[in-house]
Amino acid sequence: MTTSSDARVPAGTVLRGKWNGRSYRLERMLGIGANGQVYMAVSGLRTYALKIGMQLEDLQAEANVLASLDGRERKRPPFLLDVDDAEWQGRLLPFYVMQYVPGVPVKTYLAEHGGAWYGVVGYRLLNRLSELHAAGWVFGDVKSDNILVTDYGRVSLVDYGGMTAMGRSVRQFTEVYDRGYWSAGSRTADPSYDVFSVAVLWIHALDGKRLLHMTKMLLPQNRHPRELMALVRSHAELKKMENWMELALYGKFKDAREASAHWRDRMRAAAEEAVHNSRGKVPGWMAGLFAASLLLCVSAAAFWLLQ
Amino acid sequence: MRQILLITDGCSNVGDSPAIAASIAQAEGISVNVVGIVDEGGIGEQGALEIAEIARAGGGMSRIVSPALLSRTVQMMTRQTVQGTIRGEVNRELRQLFGVESAAELPPDKRAEIVRVMEDLGETAELRVALLIDASASMKPKMRAVEEAVRDLALSLQARRGESAVAVFHFPGERSHEACLLDLDWTDRADRIGPIFGRISMKGTTPTGPALLRVVEFFRETCGKLETEPQHTAPARRDDTDGMRSDYVV
Ligand SMILES: Nc1ncnc2c1ncn2[C@@H]1O[C@H](COP(=O)(O)OP(=O)(O)O)[C@@H](O)[C@H]1O
Ligand SMILES: [Mg+2]
């Protein structure tokens, strides 16, 4: 019996765990990536996310990371719920079951709800990352697809294939988000590795076209944080965070906690600037009202005079 | 752990069969991976067959990719080969100790433990990767991508806990009796790698088999010597061994 599973399992299939005996009906595929396929699955009355691995050891390694994190963060309900194998069409499918996260990737969220949300999403993301760092882990594969956003900018990380113990080589990363790719540092897992990727995430989410164009045009020896900074400076929304971006891309933050505090300060400053700029300069819709009421006054005066 | 990574864009045309050379490499404990690198032109059926055959003979894997995907592919293959080697060894130990075919037959909690050990070994075992680059005329436009891939691989290896190094050869050599030439001796410093292929003249012949044999020889010459050098980083802890971590860390 083979244990690899690159063929898709159709929706409606019921997988029964060989060791723990629980059954899951696959409802629909949520996503497919380098390490496996993730389905929405139902067992009893509850909905879960179920990941079928291409490779038994890779999947188990991810489950190990999740189990260790659950053990460490006991104040919240566990994320990893079951690890098992199922037999399907003569093959052994290794899988694990986790909480279902009803969110959409960051990039999609911002496209749907507006770029103004990136401040709070970024703040929540940095806080989550600093919790992981405190537990001795680096997330590694920070990118839009692996960060799901639910109501009001709440952030959940999925895909722990890149999660790496501090000081080891990052297990899995995505080129454009990798600081090594941008000649900005090593691939050894440390907090600023994740913070760098977060900076790239915002460039990707808010100015993806120009970022991807740049990666195609730049010669490898010219990949450098200053190129990313050039994008930041010439984009209205990103420019508000220019200072933060610079510190993140050049690896100047001590850790994600510091990056998060700085992010919050920048957010506050940007909000104040916005208020300040609008003082004296009446927003367009109000100016319209003002003109209308002025017109009313004039006509009222005329009416009065002509009486 | 030892690997040869052959990067080529076509067929060998001089000397012994490259599959035989790859098989010899594997017998010496060296895995042979092959990347076929292609532009729009494609690689031809003959070339594709040879690439797959060399990898099979050398116990490695093969891929055919465009220059833009080279770095990523090299990185991924190296990593997977390390994991494959370790999984193979650990599974062999499992067979001997517990009489099971592989980790898949163990219950999830035992399996979790085994995979943790595999991950530790994958990160800490010594690793040497020799790249062997086809420098025939048709490869000329792709050499920039190759250099970039070497540097990228060095960067990844440098991040590992275990001692790691890359070396680079190209073939054919300058004179007719040289199958290949050493461009970069074992190094683990990505930032010290300058231009690698400054002075190669692209020649017509492609002696893949003899070049592979020469690299196997190089491993024998240099790695014996290297093992006697004082080690500055502590090797994987093996005092807590239960037989699992015994003798397969090269
Ligand atoms: N717990 C979850 N809840 C909801 N959707 C998920 C969950 N985990 C993964 N997904 C979806 O499935 C996709 C692929 O899963 P992922 O773990 O990233 O696979 P891979 O490691 O192969 O990239 C994700 O991008 C996400 O959209
Ligand atoms: Mg993913």
Side-chain angles (χ1 to χ4, degrees):
Chain A
M1 195 181 296
T2 59
T3 52
S4 74
S5 50
D6 27 20
R8 294 189 178 199
V9 184
T13 304
V14 175
L15 297 183
R16 193 182 139 75
K18 172 177 151 185
W19 304 95
N20 300 333
R22 281 187 281 269
S23 294
Y24 302 90
R25 193 178 71 246
L26 306 185
E27 295 295 307
R28 65 184 172 89
M29 188 184 271
L30 293 169
I32 185 162
N35 303 337
Q37 305 151 19
V38 179
Y39 293 83
M40 181 194 264
V42 171
S43 180
L45 290 174
R46 290 203 48 195
T47 300
Y48 303 98
L50 182 152
K51 183 167 188 170
I52 301 177
M54 307 263 192
Q55 229 285 323
L56 178 109
E57 286 88 350
D58 287 337
L59 190 86
Q60 183 65 52
E62 272 182 42
N64 282 355
V65 165
L66 292 174
S68 140
L69 201 60
D70 281 345
R72 164 105 193 185
E73 301 181 328
R74 281 166 202 263
K75 272 176 273 154
R76 56 162 176 81
F79 186 70
L80 180 72
L81 303 167
D82 194 8
V83 185
D84 213 328
D85 308 321
E87 244 173 70
W88 180 70
Q89 297 196 339
R91 294 188 303 143
L92 198 67
L93 304 181
F95 69 87
Y96 68 74
V97 179
M98 60 193 139
Q99 302 276 6
Y100 171 68
V101 179
V104 295
V106 181
K107 201 166 165 16
T108 314
Y109 188 86
L110 294 186
E112 283 171 1
H113 293 77
W117 282 92
Y118 99 96
V120 63
V121 172
Y123 184 53
R124 287 176 181 275
L125 173 60
L126 287 167
N127 286 343
R128 180 61 188 137
L129 289 173
S130 60
E131 285 169 12
L132 296 185
H133 297 166
W137 295 102
V138 168
F139 188 69
D141 203 4
V142 168
K143 62 172 171 182
S144 180
D145 283 346
N146 292 342
I147 299 158
L148 300 186
V149 186
T150 57
D151 293 340
Y152 304 108
R154 293 194 177 85
V155 167
S156 299
L157 299 175
V158 293
D159 190 355
Y160 289 78
M163 193 127 114
T164 308
M166 214 64 88
R168 295 195 160 198
S169 58
V170 174
R171 291 157 45 88
Q172 197 170 306
F173 56 84
T174 302
E175 268 181 1
V176 181
Y177 287 85
D178 165 47
R179 76 174 170 199
Y181 176 89
W182 289 102
S183 331
S186 75
R187 288 187 180 134
T188 303
D190 61 30
S192 51
Y193 188 91
D194 279 344
V195 175
F196 180 94
S197 305
V198 171
V200 178
L201 171 70
W202 299 124
I203 303 176
H204 186 206
L206 297 171
D207 202 1
K209 256 202 206 118
R210 283 206 302 162
L211 176 66
L212 297 184
H213 180 73
M214 175 185 271
T215 61
K216 286 210 192 82
M217 303 316 282
L218 269 187
L219 292 175
Q221 63 268 32
N222 295 336
R223 289 185 206 130
H224 193 272
R226 71 171 169 268
E227 301 296 331
L228 294 169
M229 281 311 295
L231 292 182
V232 168
R233 291 198 182 98
S234 55
H235 185 278
E237 204 66 40
L238 291 170
K239 190 162 167 42
K240 291 179 191 161
M241 291 295 185
E242 176 178 347
N243 191 230
W244 187 93
M245 290 284 180
E246 180 143 22
L247 293 168
L249 292 171
Y250 283 90
K252 295 287 194 269
F253 285 121
K254 200 167 75 244
D255 50 32
R257 189 155 300 286
E258 191 184 76
S260 148
H262 191 278
W263 181 271
R264 189 194 51 218
D265 291 347
R266 278 308 307 153
M267 256 167 42
R268 183 150 22 93
E272 274 165 16
E273 270 161 41
V275 170
H276 183 79
N277 288 343
S278 65
R279 217 171 276 152
K281 263 200 296 151
V282 185
W285 62 272
M286 265 207 246
L289 274 184
F290 189 63
S293 58
L294 200 69
L295 210 70
L296 275 177
C297 283
V298 169
S299 53
F303 181 77
W304 185 77
L305 278 174
L306 289 177
Q307 254 199 340
Chain B
M1 281 178 295
R2 298 167 186 188
Q3 302 179 13
I4 294 175
L5 180 68
L6 170 65
I7 301 180
T8 180
D9 69 347
C11 271
S12 64
N13 55 18
V14 177
D16 285 342
S17 146
I20 293 175
S23 174
I24 290 171
Q26 202 212 6
E28 300 267 318
I30 305 168
S31 314
V32 182
N33 291 320
V34 192
V35 183
I37 178 171
V38 290
D39 299 324
E40 297 81 39
I43 203 158
E45 199 179 330
Q46 194 65 30
L49 276 176
E50 188 178 272
I51 284 167
E53 200 186 35
I54 297 171
R56 269 200 302 276
M61 57 183 108
S62 64
R63 292 280 183 287
I64 295 177
V65 299
S66 67
L69 292 178
L70 188 64
S71 293
R72 209 178 304 179
T73 307
V74 166
Q75 214 260 126
M76 183 274 294
M77 277 179 138
T78 305
R79 198 173 189 101
Q80 286 191 3
T81 304
V82 166
Q83 289 173 342
T85 307
I86 283 166
R87 285 165 193 177
E89 294 293 345
V90 171
N91 283 336
R92 199 169 66 204
E93 300 262 342
L94 287 175
R95 254 192 311 277
Q96 284 169 5
L97 289 173
F98 305 114
V100 298
E101 250 338 281
S102 74
E105 288 176 28
L106 295 172
D109 55 333
K110 287 249 171 49
R111 191 187 299 172
E113 205 42 57
I114 302 288
V115 168
R116 236 187 301 278
V117 173
M118 287 175 172
E119 295 259 302
D120 278 355
L121 289 172
E123 175 73 13
T124 53
E126 189 195 318
L127 171 62
R128 286 178 185 274
V129 185
L131 290 100
L132 177 58
I133 315 299
D134 174 352
S136 55
S138 57
M139 280 291 288
K140 196 160 198 161
K142 300 156 198 154
M143 288 316 246
R144 199 196 285 278
V146 172
E147 268 192 357
E148 165 57 16
V150 173
R151 207 163 290 126
D152 190 79
L153 179 63
L155 193 65
S156 284
L157 294 190
Q158 203 181 314
R160 295 177 75 247
R161 282 272 191 80
E163 271 187 56
S164 324
V166 288
V168 181
F169 289 83
H170 76 264
F171 66 100
E174 299 294 309
R175 276 153 286 156
S176 55
H177 66 277
E178 287 171 335
C180 61
L181 263 185
L182 179 66
D183 297 292
L184 180 69
D185 207 341
W186 293 122
T187 180
D188 66 345
R189 295 294 306 267
D191 51 340
R192 297 249 178 92
I193 303 179
I196 305 167
F197 307 114
R199 49 192 175 77
I200 48 174
S201 54
M202 305 273 178
K203 298 235 183 64
T205 60
T206 311
T208 313
L212 276 170
L213 288 177
R214 173 70 197 101
V215 179
V216 172
E217 203 52 43
F218 176 73
F219 267 102
R220 200 179 297 140
E221 291 159 14
T222 57
C223 292
K225 196 170 75 208
L226 279 160
E227 270 167 2
T228 62
E229 279 180 2
Q231 301 206 319
H232 22 265
T233 51
R237 261 179 290 118
R238 298 190 211 155
D239 44 0
D240 56 339
T241 180
D242 46 12
M244 299 275 305
R245 303 189 185 187
S246 48
D247 56 356
Y248 47 80
V249 183
V250 182

